[in-house]
Amino acid sequence: MNTLAALRSALRALAANKLRSVLTMLGIIIGVAAVITMIAVGRGATSRVQEQMKGLGSNIMLVLPGGVTAGGVRLGAQTGQMLTEDDAAAIAREIPEVQVAAPNLRTGAQVVVGNTNWGTSIFGTTNDYLEAREWPLADGRLFEAAELQGSAKVAIVGQTVAQQLFGDADPLDQVIRVKKVPVTIVGVLEKKGQNSMGQDQDDIVIVPISTYRNRIQGGTAGKLKRIGSISVKVREGQSMKDAEEGIKELLRQRFKVQPGADDPFSIRNLTEILQAQEASSRVMTMLLAAVAGISLGVGGIGIMNIMLVSVTERTREIGLRMAVGARGRDILAQFLIEAITLSLIGGAIGVVFGAAATWAVGAFAGWQVSISAGAIGLAAGFSAFVGVFFGFYPARRASKLLPIQALRYE
């Protein structure tokens, strides 16, 4: 019996017991569909984290004021000692691992142009902030040195602000009012998308930090140098841990913190946070795939069970085949092909159900999913392996039957 004849025989045997074949394939169908769906969800989650890391920039840390203890209670950020622009300059100057350290001030405000207004975030910072975030301009230019020093009324806007205020019109050289202060748009940022908290990073207006303090915030002279945070970018190839320790030691010296006392500031390694999220997504994907693999294993046990039943039911047929010249390997091949065919048909149906389930998760749950040919190939290959692994024993048992005993079997 050649392979084609064995395949035809396998299909006839399966068609003779349609309901039993479908129920046997059910475990394979569910397992393959689950593998494809879980891998797609996991890949989507990992891709989203990677996009967020790309949007954030690489090797980023955020220095925030706060972290002091008062009355036995550890206070959070924005409490205690305030950071200043001089602290940011000292970090950039004295920590060799640091590429840039950008001082930041932030508030929310309505931005108005003509009869149109839009509520957005107003950032007071320097050009170093865009370098730290690896955020290029789509159009226009950066702030000039004179503008940064002289509280110039200029701004760089994100894509969302540009779209909301000007639609498809060119926003460059247009004048907008930020808290009644007219500023001219000199640059438009590239699109960044959402951050890890789901906030739109493109919904932003950036002005020189001196403009923010003197014109928008209207701070008193004693607060001119105070800032809300410092965005730090570590040089490529340098240790984030060494940079963090260096910044901590420098700020403790500048704040004159006594040995053993808590830091009056906090340092957040944003890249490590997102990397931890990516690792968690990867582990969760592996766990879910393992659960789906168990379902495939259960389906394989079902195949073994039904093939053993089939061998028992067809014992006289096996004896007759052997009596007319079939060899043991022919019988082995026949039943093995039946098991593989059963498994592959179930795998093919499972691929269809898996693709549909993946689409449903993306469409109705709103999750980011990423189905790949590799995941489909893995699931289909594993289903074929299940057919071979669990079908071999029944096929081997059938091939070892003695013709005279098989013919006399009732």
Side-chain angles (χ1 to χ4, degrees), residues 8 46 65 67 71 168 173 182 209 224 244 279 287 300 371 389 394:
R8 286 198 297 265
T46 301
D168 296 329
D173 299 323
I209 193 167
L224 289 181
E244 185 175 343
L287 290 175
I371 191 169
F389 183 81

Side-chain angles (χ1 to χ4, degrees), residues 104-301:
N104 307 317
L105 285 166
R106 182 174 186 170
T107 190
Q110 291 294 122
V111 179
V112 181
V113 55
N115 295 325
T116 305
N117 69 88
W118 178 253
T120 186
S121 297
I122 313 300
F123 240 75
T125 186
T126 65
N127 293 331
D128 288 340
Y129 176 75
L130 300 181
E131 182 178 349
R133 293 288 309 278
E134 299 179 4
W135 204 344
L137 294 178
D139 201 4
R141 61 174 177 83
L142 298 174
F143 299 131
E144 297 176 352
E147 293 171 340
L148 291 168
Q149 294 294 327
S151 304
K153 292 184 283 187
V154 292
I156 297 173
V157 299
Q159 292 282 345
T160 299
V161 174
Q163 179 65 34
Q164 293 295 331
L165 294 181
F166 301 102
D168 296 329
D170 186 4
L172 283 183
D173 299 323
Q174 298 289 336
V175 177
I176 60 177
R177 295 196 304 278
V178 180
K179 287 192 173 181
K180 300 182 180 180
V181 177
V183 296
T184 302
I185 297 175
V186 297
V188 180
L189 295 165
E190 288 278 5
K191 188 174 181 62
K192 273 279 189 180
Q194 293 184 345
N195 61 15
S196 59
M197 303 298 293
Q199 298 171 333
D200 186 1
Q201 298 181 90
D202 301 306
D203 194 1
I204 188 174
V205 173
I206 299 176
V207 299
I209 193 167
S210 58
T211 304
Y212 184 101
R213 286 197 315 265
N214 300 330
R215 298 183 185 276
I216 296 175
Q217 187 183 49
T220 61
K223 297 182 180 179
L224 289 181
K225 294 291 185 179
R226 290 190 174 183
I227 57 177
S229 63
I230 303 173
S231 297
V232 178
K233 179 177 178 61
V234 177
R235 298 182 189 278
E236 193 69 31
Q238 297 294 322
S239 170
M240 295 284 286
K241 188 66 175 178
D242 291 345
E244 185 175 343
E245 292 297 327
I247 294 170
K248 184 179 295 185
E249 183 63 28
L250 175 63
L251 291 180
R252 285 180 67 89
Q253 291 176 4
R254 292 181 63 84
F255 293 163
K256 298 180 174 59
V257 180
Q258 296 299 317
D262 291 331
D263 296 330
F265 56 86
S266 58
I267 302 176
R268 298 179 183 174
N269 190 332
L270 303 183
T271 305
E272 286 187 356
I273 293 173
L274 289 179
Q275 287 174 343
Q277 291 181 0
E278 182 180 15
S280 298
S281 298
R282 193 179 300 113
V283 170
M284 185 58 65
T285 301
M286 293 175 63
L287 290 175
L288 293 174
V291 172
I294 292 172
S295 179
L296 277 174
V298 172
I301 294 172

Side-chain angles (χ1 to χ4, degrees), residues 53-72:
M53 291 177 68
K54 184 178 179 181
L56 178 65
S58 60
N59 302 335
I60 292 290
M61 289 189 292
L62 191 64
V63 183
L64 296 168
V68 300
T69 301

